[in-house]
C-alpha cells in the first residue's frame, strides 16, 4: 500500500478554517447576532462581538438575557456540530470529501437549554467555550461557560441536551 | 379598561426602550397583573437552520426571557427592575417558518427577593407549543 505524502500544514489549516467559516456563514442568526468563531486545532472559542443592539438594560447598561442565552446556545450547537465535522475531516474518505464539497451533516436540535446568569453582561465582547460531556447516537449533553475580561470570572453558564441528526448516509 | 390600556402603553414604551427587544421587533400585546403576551414577526435574518427556515432557538429564548421579565415587572408588588437569575427552556417543536412567534408568561409567585415565572411560546396555536420556559428572576418588593 502506497501512502500519500502528508499535506502541508497550511493546506490542512485552510481546509479546517474553510469548513468552519462555511458552517457559521450558513446560519443567518449567527451572522445577525454578530457571533464569530476562533479555532485552535479542534478547540473552538465562540465570540459575541459587542453591539448596542445586544443591550437589554440601557440604564446599567447590561447585555440582554435573551442575547446571552442565544450566544451560549450557538456555542453549544456549534461545538457539537463542529466535533462531528472534525471527525469526518480527520477520518478521510468519502465523508471528508463531502465536507470539502460543502455537504454538512444536519445540525443537532435543542431539546432543552438552561442558562445560569451569574453576573450582568457588560457592554463589551464576550467569549464562550463548550464541552460535550456525552454524545450518543441520539442524545448529547453539552455544558457552556462564558466570560468577558477574566476567564475564571464567568458571567453565564449553561447546560443543554440535544437531539443528534439521524442520517441515512 | 382605561387602566389596562394605559398599562399596555407604559409596558410597550418600556419594551421599546430595550435595544435588543427592538432589534428583534418584539411587541407586547397584553399586559395584566403578573402576566404578559408578546410577539415577534418572522424574519429570514433570525433563522437558525437554513435547510428548514426555522427560527433559531436563541430568538425563542430572547422572546421568552423578555416576556418573563415583563410579567415580573407587571406583578402588582414589583417595585424595581428585574434580571434573570436562571431560565430553562424546553423545545417541543420547531417554530413554523414565516409565522409570527407568540409568548405568554405568568409570574405566579414572588418572595421578597425572587420572582418565579413560567412561560410558553407558539406560532400557530398555544395548543401546539414551540417551547416552554421556567425561570427565576431578581425581585424588589414595592416599598
Amino acid at each position: 500500500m502506497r501512502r500519500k505524502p502528508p499535506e502541508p500544514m497550511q493546506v490542512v489549516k485552510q481546509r479546517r478554517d474553510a469548513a468552519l467559516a462555511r458552517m457559521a456563514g450558513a446560519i443567518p442568526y449567527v451572522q445577525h447576532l454578530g457571533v464569530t468563531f476562533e479555532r485552535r486545532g479542534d478547540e473552538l472559542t465562540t465570540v459575541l462581538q459587542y453591539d448596542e443592539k445586544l443591550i437589554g438594560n440601557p440604564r446599567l447598561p447590561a447585555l440582554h438575557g435573551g442575547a446571552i442565552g442565544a450566544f451560549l446556545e450557538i456555542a453549544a450547537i456549534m461545538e457539537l456540530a463542529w466535533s462531528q465535522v472534525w471527525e469526518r475531516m480527520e477520518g478521510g474518505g468519502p465523508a471528508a470529501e463531502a465536507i470539502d464539497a460543502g455537504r454538512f451533516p444536519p445540525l443537532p436540535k435543542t431539546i432543552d437549554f438552561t442558562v445560569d446568569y451569574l453576573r450582568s453582561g457588560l457592554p463589551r465582547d464576550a467569549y464562550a467555550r463548550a464541552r460535550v460531556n456525552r454524545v450518543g447516537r441520539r442524545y448529547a449533553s453539552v455544558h457552556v461557560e462564558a466570560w468577558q475580561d477574566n476567564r475564571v470570572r464567568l458571567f453565564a453558564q449553561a447546560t443543554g441536551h440535544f437531539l443528534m441528526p439521524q442520517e441515512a448516509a | 379598561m382605561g387602566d389596562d390600556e394605559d398599562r399596555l402603553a407604559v409596558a410597550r414604551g418600556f419594551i421599546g426602550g430595550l435595544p435588543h427587544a427592538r432589534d428583534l421587533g418584539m411587541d407586547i400585546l397584553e399586559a395584566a397583573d403578573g402576566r404578559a403576551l408578546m410577539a415577534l414577526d418572522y424574519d429570514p435574518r433570525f433563522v437558525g437552520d437554513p435547510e428548514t427556515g426555522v427560527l433559531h432557538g436563541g430568538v425563542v429564548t430572547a422572546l421568552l426571557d423578555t416576556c418573563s421579565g415583563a410579567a415580573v415587572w407587571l406583578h402588582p408588588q414589583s417595585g424595581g427592575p428585574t434580571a434573570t437569575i436562571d431560565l430553562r427552556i424546553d423545545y417541543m417543536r420547531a417554530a413554523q417558518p414565516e409565522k409570527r412567534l407568540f409568548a405568554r408568561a405568568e409570574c405566579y409567585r414572588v418572595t421578597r427577593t425572587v420572582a418565579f415565572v413560567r412561560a410558553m411560546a407558539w406560532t400557530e396555536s398555544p395548543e401546539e407549543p414551540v417551547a416552554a420556559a421556567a425561570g427565576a428572576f431578581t425581585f424588589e418588593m414595592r416599598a
Side-chain angles (χ1 to χ4, degrees):
Chain A
M1 213 167 95
R2 257 192 322 153
R3 282 187 73 127
K4 280 197 286 183
E7 286 180 303
M9 198 55 220
Q10 257 338 92
V11 175
V12 175
K13 272 194 170 171
Q14 263 171 26
R15 175 188 304 127
R16 290 170 177 171
D17 288 336
L20 181 59
R22 225 163 175 167
M23 272 172 77
I27 308 171
Y29 194 56
V30 168
Q31 304 303 312
H32 180 74
L33 208 57
V35 171
T36 56
F37 303 90
E38 287 175 9
R39 187 188 67 80
R40 296 283 180 277
D42 70 339
E43 182 195 67
L44 283 190
T45 305
T46 305
V47 183
L48 180 66
Q49 315 267 0
Y50 175 71
D51 188 285
E52 198 261 339
K53 75 181 180 197
L54 303 174
I55 292 294
N57 182 334
R59 281 200 196 166
L60 283 176
L63 299 181
H64 192 284
I68 297 168
F71 167 55
L72 294 180
E73 195 174 327
I74 288 169
I77 292 178
M78 269 305 271
E79 182 70 31
L80 259 184
W82 176 245
S83 63
Q84 307 278 303
V85 167
W86 178 268
E87 234 170 63
R88 287 170 198 221
M89 281 193 299
E90 294 302 284
E97 280 161 25
I99 301 293
D100 277 351
R103 293 195 305 276
F104 291 91
L107 290 169
K109 290 190 162 66
T110 315
I111 299 169
D112 61 62
F113 202 68
T114 306
V115 187
D116 183 5
Y117 295 91
L118 302 169
R119 35 175 72 83
S120 60
L122 303 170
R124 61 187 72 156
D125 290 359
Y127 312 96
R129 272 196 205 136
R131 184 180 71 234
V132 178
N133 282 325
R134 149 125 179 109
V135 56
R137 248 174 1 97
R138 237 178 243 270
Y139 309 109
S141 175
V142 183
H143 184 78
V144 195
E145 294 183 340
W147 72 95
Q148 294 192 295
D149 295 320
N150 190 334
R151 176 67 179 90
V152 296
R153 267 172 67 90
L154 302 181
F155 80 106
Q157 61 180 353
T159 302
H161 296 93
F162 298 86
L163 195 59
M164 299 308 290
Q166 305 296 310
E167 286 172 278
Chain B
M1 286 302 113
D3 281 357
D4 277 359
E5 277 165 31
D6 285 353
R7 181 146 68 168
L8 183 59
V10 172
R12 188 165 276 153
F14 177 74
I15 302 290
L18 311 178
H20 193 58
R22 211 164 46 224
D23 180 57
L24 292 174
M26 291 183 199
D27 189 18
I28 183 158
L29 309 174
E30 286 174 30
D33 281 357
R35 285 161 182 273
L37 173 68
M38 291 185 61
L40 65 79
D41 286 327
Y42 182 85
D43 188 315
R45 294 174 303 160
F46 305 159
V47 165
D49 189 339
E51 299 283 315
T52 57
V54 167
L55 288 181
H56 195 282
V59 178
V60 180
T61 300
L63 185 65
L64 283 167
D65 181 67
T66 310
C67 194
S68 299
V72 174
W73 185 71
L74 287 163
H75 192 278
Q77 286 171 283
S78 168
T82 182
T84 320
I85 298 171
D86 151 281
L87 188 69
R88 174 191 166 110
I89 316 260
D90 292 314
Y91 292 95
M92 281 129 196
R93 75 201 305 261
Q96 287 301 103
E98 308 292 337
K99 301 282 190 213
R100 200 160 203 226
L101 181 70
F102 294 91
R104 190 184 278 290
E106 181 196 7
C107 174
Y108 62 94
R109 185 77 195 160
V110 297
T111 70
R112 275 181 298 122
T113 47
V114 185
F116 298 93
V117 184
R118 50 188 163 224
M120 200 72 109
W122 70 90
T123 44
E124 285 161 300
S125 152
E127 306 302 313
E128 294 183 89
V130 165
F137 288 73
T138 64
F139 193 69
E140 282 176 39
M141 282 260 181
R142 185 188 294 263

